[in-house]
Amino acid sequence: MSGTRRDHDHWSDVASEWIEWARAPSHDAFWAYRPALSEFVGKGTGDALEVGCGEGRVSRLLKERGYRVTATDTVEVFVAAAREVDSADRYEVAPATALPFEAASFDFVMAYNVLMDLDDVPAAVKEMRRVLRPSGTLFVSIVHPFADRGRFDRERPQAPFVVDGSYFGRERFEGTEERDGLRMRFAGWSQPLQNYVAALEGAGLAITSLLEPKPDTGPQWATMRNWDRIPLFLWLKARPLAA
């Protein structure tokens, strides 16, 4: 089975788990970072595309910021779930490597925590570049590659961050999280930051802004406090290079 097929089959299998997990109030780490994400995205008035929309929460944020949003995902169940709660203005079922849009169709392309789930990141980034207008912006969010390779040692004071293996190389990961009666089976690919940057460069994109956000430190996010010391996510904006 190809990596692309395996990725699609995994997310099809866990779609109902993810919808419940993502929509539970303040359950997922996303909600601790949402205010910072909204600010970093900024206000817009153009055409935005979300690639890998899941149940639609980031598409809804883009609508709030003023964009006309098209939401896509390779999993039909996710697109239906996003449509049910009016997440976007338009919907398509499509893989990230074969977007059904003409070249230069969008002012803003969002890839929120989707590149880690793709077997062929360079092909997906090239396709996102293809549908982006020359003056447009690609927004990428990934789990921080350093955070992805380590863990907090909760058995020791001040919870040092421990990397057991190597930061370098590309590895498949699979794991299950259970919390507050919900279960989510995660799977995808872990690779160093240089691989993502190489994919951007290969697609003719240049990074214009980068942020390693800190979570909300409110009392409801006590479990996130260690991530105030080590970045959990990495966000960047990239623009097409001049031809």
Side-chain angles (χ1 to χ4, degrees):
M1 180 185 296
S2 71
T4 299
R5 185 75 248 172
R6 177 166 54 173
D7 296 337
H8 174 274
D9 289 351
H10 166 77
W11 285 101
S12 295
D13 187 45
V14 303
S16 60
E17 292 178 16
W18 176 250
I19 292 167
E20 186 176 20
W21 182 278
R23 289 184 177 175
S26 299
H27 179 77
D28 185 59
F30 169 82
W31 304 105
Y33 292 86
R34 192 184 190 282
L37 178 64
S38 180
E39 181 178 354
F40 193 53
V41 166
K43 292 185 177 180
T45 58
D47 297 306
L49 169 68
E50 186 184 6
V51 179
C53 67
E55 58 76 47
R57 61 189 181 183
V58 176
S59 286
R60 294 192 291 276
L61 183 149
L62 292 175
K63 282 185 69 176
E64 290 176 10
R65 301 306 281 162
Y67 287 100
R68 296 181 299 276
V69 181
T70 298
T72 68
D73 202 288
T74 187
V75 177
E76 188 172 357
V77 172
F78 282 147
V79 175
R83 189 192 300 271
E84 285 174 359
V85 290
D86 195 27
S87 299
D89 303 286
R90 179 184 175 192
Y91 307 86
E92 295 285 350
V93 178
T97 53
L99 299 170
F101 311 109
E102 294 183 0
S105 294
F106 296 97
D107 301 292
F108 191 94
V109 175
M110 168 65 77
Y112 185 87
N113 289 3
V114 67
L115 294 184
M116 309 100 62
D117 301 331
L118 301 177
D119 177 59
D120 194 343
V121 170
V125 173
K126 286 180 180 178
E127 186 68 348
M128 294 175 199
R129 166 65 181 89
R130 182 185 67 80
V131 302
L132 192 64
R133 291 178 178 137
S135 60
T137 297
L138 170 65
F139 188 113
V140 172
S141 171
I142 54 174
V143 173
H144 199 292
F146 184 72
D148 216 21
R149 292 302 177 96
R151 58 183 173 79
F152 286 106
D153 184 353
R154 299 187 184 278
E155 302 301 319
R156 297 173 59 189
Q158 302 302 312
F161 190 79
V162 178
V163 177
D164 293 319
S166 172
Y167 168 79
F168 297 102
R170 181 175 181 269
E171 296 179 3
R172 177 78 177 174
F173 68 81
E174 296 183 4
T176 301
E177 288 191 31
E178 296 189 37
R179 188 168 67 250
D180 299 331
L182 297 179
R183 182 185 75 154
M184 178 61 206
R185 290 170 288 161
F186 291 96
W189 303 89
S190 177
Q191 54 192 320
L193 179 57
Q194 64 187 16
N195 290 19
Y196 291 105
V197 174
L200 293 168
E201 183 180 16
L205 292 156
I207 296 171
T208 58
S209 186
L210 187 149
L211 182 66
E212 295 165 305
K214 292 185 177 182
D216 189 319
T217 56
Q220 74 273 34
W221 295 112
T223 59
M224 298 296 298
R225 284 177 186 157
N226 276 325
W227 296 110
D228 194 39
R229 299 163 43 217
I230 297 290
L232 176 57
F233 296 114
L234 186 148
W235 299 338
L236 63 84
K237 294 176 182 178
R239 300 283 297 274
L241 291 165

